[in-house]
Amino acid sequence: MEVIIRPTADEAAELTSRIIKKSILEKPNLVLGLATGGTMEVVYDKLVCAHKEDNLDFSLCRTFNLDEYIGLPVEDKNSYRYYMNKNLFSRINIDIRNTYLPNGMAENYTAESKKYERLIRENGGIDLQLLGIGRSGHIGFNEPLSALQSRTREKALTPVTIEQNEIYFEPPESMPKRAFTMGIGTILDARKIVLLATGEGKAGIIAKAVEGPVTSMISASALQLHPKTTIIVDESAAKNLEEKEYYHWLFENEPEWDEYK
Ligand code: PGA
């Protein structure tokens, strides 16, 4: 695991989008794992810019989202399918048939979960997985005590997550309390992982996930087991990290980051 600290949230999102851009240029038929949430909206705006201004070509890309609320049809503006279409897919030249999310309206949860795992496998596995982190420490909707080897399944959401996300729902109580999510094992199968967290509200959980012990109480801590994970944070989200100086040094001195300066 490596941690990269950028001065502002915008610069952290910029770095994230440039890593994605580079991966697409290197492998035009990239299998990209995608995340939703407020943090990612900036990243998607930047990818749209790269498409419009630098002709970044998504036509051969395939995407798999981490999760979807159970019980929301695709046309519901709070479904993650709706979010993805609005924030990214409708603004780039991706073939919508190559964009996958779990079907939140599926009645057989086990069958839907198995199907999602099979689709990921049939597409050759995820090359680059983008992640946010919730205040509960979740990646995807892997709430505390999710097995570190879990696969795609339905999961009940914690009160912390419900409090974090119900602001998007009208009325707030209408927020679904369950979701399909890739498992932690599914996420760890990705060849490369980039987690983006910005803002002081994430400082506490980032310190625990990155520098604390690996524990199923904090799903994101499982990323410490992955050989190619980059955590990108702004100064605010990095506030509680003990080895900040070292992480700054890494960005300044490691040759792999030269092209991003
Ligand atoms: P956020 O959500 O970007 O809206 O903070 C992240 C998450 O819950 O995974």
Side-chain angles (χ1 to χ4, degrees):
M1 178 186 270
E2 58 186 349
V3 179
I4 296 298
I5 305 174
R6 305 304 300 125
T8 65
D10 191 71
E11 285 162 281
E14 176 70 20
L15 178 60
T16 306
S17 72
R18 284 176 65 187
I19 291 172
I20 298 170
K21 181 177 169 185
K22 181 172 182 235
S23 303
I24 296 174
L25 291 174
E26 281 171 4
K27 186 178 177 190
N29 63 344
L30 193 77
V31 179
L32 190 52
L34 294 174
T36 49
T39 314
M40 293 306 152
E41 288 178 18
V42 193
V43 176
Y44 296 147
D45 283 345
K46 290 180 187 292
L47 287 177
V48 170
C49 259
H51 168 64
K52 298 220 157 97
E53 287 165 18
D54 307 329
N55 295 320
L56 182 63
D57 181 14
F58 291 85
S59 63
L60 300 176
C61 286
R62 289 152 292 159
T63 67
F64 285 90
N65 266 78
L66 286 164
D67 43 21
E68 178 60 285
Y69 289 114
I70 288 180
L72 295 192
V74 294
E75 60 278 6
D76 189 300
K77 71 177 189 10
N78 281 306
S79 74
Y80 284 158
R81 165 54 81 179
Y82 190 97
Y83 169 109
M84 288 311 305
N85 287 351
K86 173 167 160 261
N87 289 298
L88 187 64
F89 301 151
S90 65
R91 303 161 75 198
I92 57 175
N93 67 333
I94 198 160
D95 182 341
I96 201 79
R97 291 168 301 183
N98 290 336
T99 65
Y100 299 95
L101 288 92
N103 171 12
M105 297 304 283
E107 282 175 13
N108 185 330
Y109 298 164
T110 309
E112 177 61 18
S113 303
K114 281 198 170 142
K115 179 176 155 199
Y116 205 60
E117 288 280 332
R118 196 185 67 237
L119 278 169
I120 294 172
R121 260 196 326 273
E122 284 172 358
N123 278 276
I126 292 169
D127 292 306
L128 173 63
Q129 177 67 54
L130 182 60
L131 297 175
I133 184 170
R135 275 188 267 138
S136 69
H138 69 206
I139 45 177
F141 272 132
N142 291 287
E143 300 290 27
L145 293 188
S146 289
L148 300 185
Q149 295 188 323
S150 50
R151 311 303 305 185
T152 303
R153 68 219 182 288
E154 58 104 16
K155 196 76 195 152
L157 305 178
T158 59
V160 172
T161 297
I162 292 169
E163 192 195 319
Q164 183 184 320
N165 287 5
E166 70 182 3
I167 50 166
Y168 299 112
F169 289 80
E170 185 45 49
E173 308 82 67
S174 66
M175 178 179 159
K177 307 294 183 285
R178 307 184 88 80
F180 285 112
T181 180
M182 278 185 204
I184 300 175
T186 322
I187 293 169
L188 292 179
D189 281 349
R191 292 177 192 100
K192 184 174 163 61
I193 297 176
V194 172
L195 183 148
L196 171 66
T198 57
E200 207 170 328
K202 299 284 170 70
I205 198 67
I206 276 291
K208 285 184 185 165
V210 171
E211 294 180 339
V214 174
T215 166
S216 59
M217 280 300 287
I218 297 166
S219 297
S221 69
L223 299 173
Q224 295 175 31
L225 302 169
H226 189 272
K228 271 188 111 180
T229 288
T230 304
I231 309 285
I232 300 176
V233 284
D234 63 350
E235 283 287 357
S236 306
K239 210 176 112 208
N240 296 0
L241 291 170
E242 278 180 27
E243 297 291 340
K244 245 197 287 188
E245 237 176 83
Y246 173 59
Y247 309 143
H248 277 301
W249 184 93
L250 280 180
F251 186 72
E252 293 311 324
N253 294 284
E254 288 288 19
E256 69 167 297
W257 299 108
D258 285 351
E259 64 187 290
Y260 295 103
K261 286 170 195 159

